[in-house]
PDB file of all heavy atoms in Angstrom:
ATOM      1  N   SER R 181      -0.542   7.067  23.429  1.00 97.00           N
ATOM      2  CA  SER R 181       0.447   6.062  23.856  1.00 97.00           C
ATOM      3  C   SER R 181       1.484   5.752  22.778  1.00 97.00           C
ATOM      4  O   SER R 181       2.432   5.028  23.057  1.00 97.00           O
ATOM      5  CB  SER R 181      -0.262   4.773  24.268  1.00 97.00           C
ATOM      6  OG  SER R 181      -0.994   4.255  23.184  1.00 97.00           O
ATOM      7  N   CYS R 182       1.317   6.294  21.581  1.00 98.00           N
ATOM      8  CA  CYS R 182       2.201   5.904  20.469  1.00 98.00           C
ATOM      9  C   CYS R 182       3.185   7.013  20.105  1.00 98.00           C
ATOM     10  O   CYS R 182       2.789   8.171  19.899  1.00 98.00           O
ATOM     11  CB  CYS R 182       1.384   5.551  19.233  1.00 98.00           C
ATOM     12  SG  CYS R 182       0.363   4.094  19.464  1.00 98.00           S
ATOM     13  N   ALA R 183       4.477   6.634  20.017  1.00 97.00           N
ATOM     14  CA  ALA R 183       5.486   7.591  19.543  1.00 97.00           C
ATOM     15  C   ALA R 183       5.374   7.749  18.037  1.00 97.00           C
ATOM     16  O   ALA R 183       5.643   8.821  17.489  1.00 97.00           O
ATOM     17  CB  ALA R 183       6.878   7.090  19.911  1.00 97.00           C
ATOM     18  N   ALA R 184       5.002   6.659  17.363  1.00 98.00           N
ATOM     19  CA  ALA R 184       4.838   6.725  15.903  1.00 98.00           C
ATOM     20  C   ALA R 184       3.817   5.678  15.473  1.00 98.00           C
ATOM     21  O   ALA R 184       3.698   4.616  16.084  1.00 98.00           O
ATOM     22  CB  ALA R 184       6.171   6.459  15.205  1.00 98.00           C
ATOM     23  N   ILE R 185       3.086   6.026  14.434  1.00 98.00           N
ATOM     24  CA  ILE R 185       2.160   5.068  13.814  1.00 98.00           C
ATOM     25  C   ILE R 185       2.516   5.001  12.337  1.00 98.00           C
ATOM     26  O   ILE R 185       2.610   6.044  11.661  1.00 98.00           O
ATOM     27  CB  ILE R 185       0.687   5.491  14.013  1.00 98.00           C
ATOM     28  CG1 ILE R 185       0.339   5.452  15.500  1.00 98.00           C
ATOM     29  CG2 ILE R 185      -0.239   4.578  13.218  1.00 98.00           C
ATOM     30  CD1 ILE R 185      -1.071   5.879  15.825  1.00 98.00           C
ATOM     31  N   THR R 186       2.759   3.794  11.858  1.00 98.00           N
ATOM     32  CA  THR R 186       3.096   3.630  10.440  1.00 98.00           C
ATOM     33  C   THR R 186       1.941   2.935   9.735  1.00 98.00           C
ATOM     34  O   THR R 186       1.317   2.028  10.296  1.00 98.00           O
ATOM     35  CB  THR R 186       4.384   2.802  10.267  1.00 98.00           C
ATOM     36  OG1 THR R 186       4.237   1.563  10.966  1.00 98.00           O
ATOM     37  CG2 THR R 186       5.595   3.526  10.816  1.00 98.00           C
ATOM     38  N   MET R 187       1.670   3.372   8.516  1.00 98.00           N
ATOM     39  CA  MET R 187       0.629   2.733   7.686  1.00 98.00           C
ATOM     40  C   MET R 187       1.165   2.638   6.268  1.00 98.00           C
ATOM     41  O   MET R 187       1.003   3.569   5.469  1.00 98.00           O
ATOM     42  CB  MET R 187      -0.643   3.591   7.654  1.00 98.00           C
ATOM     43  CG  MET R 187      -1.377   3.714   8.950  1.00 98.00           C
ATOM     44  SD  MET R 187      -2.955   4.571   8.669  1.00 98.00           S
ATOM     45  CE  MET R 187      -3.197   5.305  10.278  1.00 98.00           C
ATOM     46  N   PHE R 188       1.850   1.540   5.987  1.00 97.00           N
ATOM     47  CA  PHE R 188       2.380   1.349   4.647  1.00 97.00           C
ATOM     48  C   PHE R 188       1.326   0.621   3.801  1.00 97.00           C
ATOM     49  O   PHE R 188       0.993  -0.520   4.081  1.00 97.00           O
ATOM     50  CB  PHE R 188       3.679   0.530   4.694  1.00 97.00           C
ATOM     51  CG  PHE R 188       4.754   1.150   5.547  1.00 97.00           C
ATOM     52  CD1 PHE R 188       5.272   0.475   6.629  1.00 97.00           C
ATOM     53  CD2 PHE R 188       5.217   2.434   5.264  1.00 97.00           C
ATOM     54  CE1 PHE R 188       6.269   1.051   7.412  1.00 97.00           C
ATOM     55  CE2 PHE R 188       6.195   3.014   6.048  1.00 97.00           C
ATOM     56  CZ  PHE R 188       6.718   2.327   7.117  1.00 97.00           C
ATOM     57  N   HIS R 189       0.858   1.298   2.797  1.00 96.00           N
ATOM     58  CA  HIS R 189      -0.132   0.699   1.870  1.00 96.00           C
ATOM     59  C   HIS R 189      -1.353   0.191   2.622  1.00 96.00           C
ATOM     60  O   HIS R 189      -1.726  -0.976   2.501  1.00 96.00           O
ATOM     61  CB  HIS R 189       0.533  -0.380   1.019  1.00 96.00           C
ATOM     62  CG  HIS R 189       1.545   0.188   0.084  1.00 96.00           C
ATOM     63  ND1 HIS R 189       1.224   0.681  -1.169  1.00 96.00           N
ATOM     64  CD2 HIS R 189       2.858   0.429   0.240  1.00 96.00           C
ATOM     65  CE1 HIS R 189       2.303   1.170  -1.745  1.00 96.00           C
ATOM     66  NE2 HIS R 189       3.316   1.051  -0.903  1.00 96.00           N
ATOM     67  N   VAL R 190      -1.944   1.072   3.399  1.00 96.00           N
ATOM     68  CA  VAL R 190      -3.150   0.740   4.154  1.00 96.00           C
ATOM     69  C   VAL R 190      -4.333   1.601   3.691  1.00 96.00           C
ATOM     70  O   VAL R 190      -5.403   1.086   3.364  1.00 96.00           O
ATOM     71  CB  VAL R 190      -2.915   0.955   5.670  1.00 96.00           C
ATOM     72  CG1 VAL R 190      -4.217   0.852   6.455  1.00 96.00           C
ATOM     73  CG2 VAL R 190      -1.899  -0.058   6.198  1.00 96.00           C
ATOM     74  N   LEU R 191      -4.127   2.926   3.630  1.00 96.00           N
ATOM     75  CA  LEU R 191      -5.250   3.859   3.390  1.00 96.00           C
ATOM     76  C   LEU R 191      -6.042   3.514   2.128  1.00 96.00           C
ATOM     77  O   LEU R 191      -7.263   3.641   2.105  1.00 96.00           O
ATOM     78  CB  LEU R 191      -4.737   5.289   3.242  1.00 96.00           C
ATOM     79  CG  LEU R 191      -4.398   6.089   4.495  1.00 96.00           C
ATOM     80  CD1 LEU R 191      -4.224   7.544   4.121  1.00 96.00           C
ATOM     81  CD2 LEU R 191      -5.425   5.935   5.602  1.00 96.00           C
ATOM     82  N   GLU R 192      -5.343   3.080   1.081  1.00 97.00           N
ATOM     83  CA  GLU R 192      -6.026   2.825  -0.195  1.00 97.00           C
ATOM     84  C   GLU R 192      -6.951   1.606  -0.122  1.00 97.00           C
ATOM     85  O   GLU R 192      -7.763   1.402  -1.013  1.00 97.00           O
ATOM     86  CB  GLU R 192      -5.008   2.679  -1.333  1.00 97.00           C
ATOM     87  CG  GLU R 192      -4.086   1.471  -1.268  1.00 97.00           C
ATOM     88  CD  GLU R 192      -2.795   1.741  -0.467  1.00 97.00           C
ATOM     89  OE1 GLU R 192      -2.793   2.627   0.392  1.00 97.00           O
ATOM     90  OE2 GLU R 192      -1.796   1.041  -0.724  1.00 97.00           O
ATOM     91  N   HIS R 193      -6.810   0.794   0.933  1.00 95.00           N
ATOM     92  CA  HIS R 193      -7.643  -0.408   1.089  1.00 95.00           C
ATOM     93  C   HIS R 193      -8.900  -0.144   1.912  1.00 95.00           C
ATOM     94  O   HIS R 193      -9.723  -1.040   2.058  1.00 95.00           O
ATOM     95  CB  HIS R 193      -6.846  -1.520   1.778  1.00 95.00           C
ATOM     96  CG  HIS R 193      -5.686  -2.034   0.978  1.00 95.00           C
ATOM     97  ND1 HIS R 193      -5.782  -3.127   0.155  1.00 95.00           N
ATOM     98  CD2 HIS R 193      -4.426  -1.601   0.851  1.00 95.00           C
ATOM     99  CE1 HIS R 193      -4.602  -3.347  -0.432  1.00 95.00           C
ATOM    100  NE2 HIS R 193      -3.771  -2.425  -0.021  1.00 95.00           N
ATOM    101  N   LEU R 194      -9.037   1.040   2.499  1.00 95.00           N
ATOM    102  CA  LEU R 194     -10.077   1.278   3.500  1.00 95.00           C
ATOM    103  C   LEU R 194     -11.350   1.866   2.914  1.00 95.00           C
ATOM    104  O   LEU R 194     -11.309   2.658   1.975  1.00 95.00           O
ATOM    105  CB  LEU R 194      -9.548   2.258   4.573  1.00 95.00           C
ATOM    106  CG  LEU R 194      -8.285   1.841   5.313  1.00 95.00           C
ATOM    107  CD1 LEU R 194      -7.850   2.962   6.254  1.00 95.00           C
ATOM    108  CD2 LEU R 194      -8.504   0.546   6.090  1.00 95.00           C
ATOM    109  N   TYR R 195     -12.489   1.521   3.519  1.00 93.00           N
ATOM    110  CA  TYR R 195     -13.749   2.152   3.148  1.00 93.00           C
ATOM    111  C   TYR R 195     -13.767   3.604   3.583  1.00 93.00           C
ATOM    112  O   TYR R 195     -14.327   4.464   2.922  1.00 93.00           O
ATOM    113  CB  TYR R 195     -14.933   1.430   3.829  1.00 93.00           C
ATOM    114  CG  TYR R 195     -15.266   0.091   3.235  1.00 93.00           C
ATOM    115  CD1 TYR R 195     -14.959  -1.077   3.910  1.00 93.00           C
ATOM    116  CD2 TYR R 195     -15.903  -0.013   2.006  1.00 93.00           C
ATOM    117  CE1 TYR R 195     -15.272  -2.322   3.380  1.00 93.00           C
ATOM    118  CE2 TYR R 195     -16.223  -1.240   1.459  1.00 93.00           C
ATOM    119  CZ  TYR R 195     -15.911  -2.396   2.149  1.00 93.00           C
ATOM    120  OH  TYR R 195     -16.218  -3.619   1.622  1.00 93.00           O
TER     121      TYR R 195
END
Side-chain angles (χ1 to χ4, degrees):
S181 60
C182 294
I185 295 179
T186 54
M187 294 187 207
F188 302 121
H189 293 274
V190 170
L191 280 193
E192 66 271 25
H193 294 266
L194 303 176
Y195 286 107

